[in-house]
Amino acid sequence: MAADGRLHDEHTAHLYAQALIAVARADGEIGLEEGSRLQSKIELRSGRPANLDDLLLTESLAPAELASALRESTGPFRHGGGMHPGQLAQMIVTDAIAVVLAKGHVSEEEAQTIVQFATALGCTMDEVRRMSGHLAPWFSAHFG
């Protein structure tokens, strides 16, 4: 991740987008505001235009698949965009919360999915709490 907060590696940007989509889909629906914020966050991080319809046709990604794909792209002989898993987890947690809060709340399913992505990338629950800002007390109450 560059100092500008963008994902310059296309593969990592695609994985990030798939993770955000999985979180937004976790409660079974993506409303108009959520979709708009989803598109905006993905465009901001990737630095490229993103078509919402195309994004929603993208396959969901499981947390373990994200971790595995990131490991494969950051091996000793691959560039992987210089992305440390913790950096990507921070982006996913903060951006996913912003996306799902577009509807006014974070559902239990969405929160669980956010935590699953962060922990699959090697974060502890304490780190997830710190990443989640004003939602940290809620995460603490629900995820010990």
Side-chain angles (χ1 to χ4, degrees):
M1 179 174 73
D4 62 3
R6 287 196 179 160
L7 293 164
H8 296 285
D9 176 68
E10 193 172 323
H11 178 68
T12 304
H14 183 71
L15 293 172
Y16 159 85
Q18 286 182 289
L20 281 192
I21 292 164
V23 171
R25 284 182 178 154
D27 67 351
E29 63 180 80
I30 298 176
L32 184 60
E33 275 299 312
E34 263 184 300
S36 176
R37 217 175 269 186
L38 179 66
Q39 180 177 3
S40 175
K41 289 293 182 185
I42 292 169
E43 288 177 348
L44 181 68
R45 293 291 187 186
S46 70
R48 294 181 283 283
N51 180 306
L52 185 58
D53 292 332
D54 291 343
L55 290 172
L56 296 178
L57 292 175
T58 301
E59 237 180 271
S60 285
L61 180 71
E65 292 171 325
L66 171 64
S68 176
L70 191 63
R71 270 193 307 276
E72 290 171 10
S73 69
T74 59
F77 304 107
R78 301 182 192 273
H79 61 76
M83 177 62 57
H84 182 276
Q87 290 175 302
L88 185 58
Q90 171 78 42
M91 295 168 69
I92 291 169
V93 169
T94 57
D95 293 353
I97 289 170
V99 167
V100 300
L101 280 177
K103 68 179 176 305
H105 68 282
V106 178
S107 74
E108 187 74 27
E109 297 86 2
E110 291 162 337
Q112 287 177 359
T113 305
I114 290 168
V115 168
Q116 289 167 357
F117 274 110
T119 56
L121 292 173
C123 296
T124 65
M125 281 307 302
D126 284 338
E127 290 169 324
V128 175
R129 282 185 206 93
R130 284 192 296 275
M131 291 176 196
S132 61
H134 66 284
L135 293 178
W138 186 87
F139 274 106
S140 293
H142 288 80
F143 296 99

